[in-house]
Amino acid sequence: MSQLLSSSKAAQSFCGRLARRALGPAGRAMSSQSTKLFINGEFVESQTGEWIDVRNPATQEVVTRVPKSTPHELNEAAHSAQLAFAEWRRTSVLTRQRKMLDLQHAIRGNMGRLAESIVTEQGKVLGDARGDVLRGLQVVESMAGIPEYMLGHKIEVSADMDTYTVREPLGVVAGICPFNFPAMIQLWMFPVALATGNTCLLKPSERDPGAAMILAELCDQVGLPKGVLNIVHGAHDTVDFLTADKRVRAVSFVGGDKAGKYIYERATKHGKRCQANLGAKNHAVVLPDAD
């Protein structure tokens, strides 16, 4: 028993050190007091009166507070994304490819910091947290091939008639992310949206937003234009805004069945494209001799 208690205290001490390291020099995106919004290329302190505590699962220490974004803040984020789209859609595919190459380099250089944030807020062991980042990084790396992905098709259907396709961005798109993969699923969403010429409103889980905020810092560092990526926080009201606002053209969601069905029905009701990946779980079999 003493060995178990000793191991538990050691684990808590280790996670506490990670908490301090993850929050120490994080600067603009987070502090031990609050997590900021990322609107129009700036980290903004929310003016909300409603906050959600994020606790280190190992120590139960409150590591940050997450705001429930106000209607004004949500509107400002959508407005920023809409304005940025007018310019971003006209950038060349090679320019967007270059930004993805720079972003993957920045993520790889900050993998330890991202992983530590995941350990602190979400509770993964460090190896799994690094794997979380790595799986997302692979998506960013694949965006180096965006010129090929954006190719259209052309076919001569008769002697005097050609049929061809052109791939064009939709506009402002939204990503709604779950708590269980704080880096990977964000990186499924916004890099693909940006590489294809869209702008993005991203809502990380209110239970572990730290990795998303570090990714926002890295996007700023590599020179992504203001407003191309905006990050908002909250719960039901934020989801309702993203699935109903006319400026949002498409919604991507990963998470549970109940929330996903609600998001899909609400988004499609308001005329948006919606992809909802629901109910994926890691299954386990518990045998009779389990202690």
Side-chain angles (χ1 to χ4, degrees), residues 151-157 161-168:
L151 289 175
H153 301 281
K154 181 178 179 180
I155 185 171
E156 184 178 349
V157 295
M161 183 180 297
D162 293 336
T163 297
Y164 62 92
T165 61
V166 176
R167 297 183 184 272
E168 295 185 336

Side-chain angles (χ1 to χ4, degrees), residues 18-252:
L18 284 185
R20 290 187 289 272
R21 288 167 62 187
L23 293 171
R28 299 175 300 164
M30 294 181 62
S31 70
S32 58
Q33 287 74 44
S34 64
T35 296
K36 295 179 172 60
L37 307 167
F38 186 63
I39 299 175
N40 198 37
E42 303 290 337
F43 290 98
V44 180
E45 192 74 53
S46 176
Q47 299 305 303
T48 188
E50 297 183 84
W51 299 83
I52 302 166
D53 287 345
V54 175
R55 294 180 181 273
N56 182 322
T59 65
Q60 293 305 302
E61 174 189 3
V62 175
V63 294
T64 189
R65 297 188 309 152
V66 179
K68 292 185 177 181
S69 301
T70 68
H72 175 72
E73 290 162 351
L74 294 169
N75 183 67
E76 285 296 304
H79 181 64
S80 172
Q82 185 181 42
L83 290 180
F85 175 66
E87 293 296 326
W88 183 245
R89 69 175 302 175
R90 289 198 288 267
T91 58
S92 71
V93 69
L94 295 180
T95 296
R96 301 196 298 269
Q97 179 193 44
R98 179 70 261 168
K99 293 302 181 187
M100 293 301 106
L101 289 168
D102 293 344
L103 180 60
Q104 66 84 24
H105 181 71
I107 292 170
R108 189 170 292 279
N110 285 269
M111 184 175 290
R113 183 180 169 209
L114 285 158
E116 288 173 3
S117 173
I118 293 168
V119 172
T120 300
E121 292 184 350
Q122 198 266 342
K124 282 186 169 75
V125 297
L126 188 59
D128 285 350
R130 291 181 67 87
D132 188 328
V133 181
L134 177 62
R135 294 293 177 258
L137 175 62
Q138 290 168 340
V139 176
V140 184
E141 290 173 337
S142 75
M143 288 300 97
I146 194 63
E148 183 175 354
Y149 298 150
M150 294 295 288
L151 289 175
H153 301 281
K154 181 178 179 180
I155 185 171
E156 184 178 349
V157 295
S158 69
D160 58 352
M161 183 180 297
D162 293 336
T163 297
Y164 62 92
T165 61
V166 176
R167 297 183 184 272
E168 295 185 336
L170 285 173
V172 180
V173 300
I176 302 172
C177 304
F179 79 97
N180 54 338
F181 287 95
M184 181 182 77
I185 293 175
Q186 279 84 344
L187 292 171
W188 284 0
M189 294 184 181
F190 79 82
V192 180
L194 270 51
T196 52
N198 300 285
T199 56
C200 186
L201 294 172
L202 188 71
K203 191 198 96 63
S205 171
E206 65 276 13
R207 293 164 63 179
D208 48 15
M213 302 313 298
I214 294 171
L215 292 171
E217 286 190 25
L218 300 181
C219 287
D220 186 46
Q221 288 175 16
V222 302
L224 280 169
K226 294 180 182 297
V228 168
L229 174 66
N230 295 271
I231 297 181
V232 294
H233 302 292
H236 299 89
D237 289 347
T238 303
V239 169
D240 285 349
F241 176 87
L242 296 175
T243 51
D245 190 85
K246 293 181 180 180
R247 290 162 291 193
V248 177
R249 298 291 306 279
V251 177
S252 182

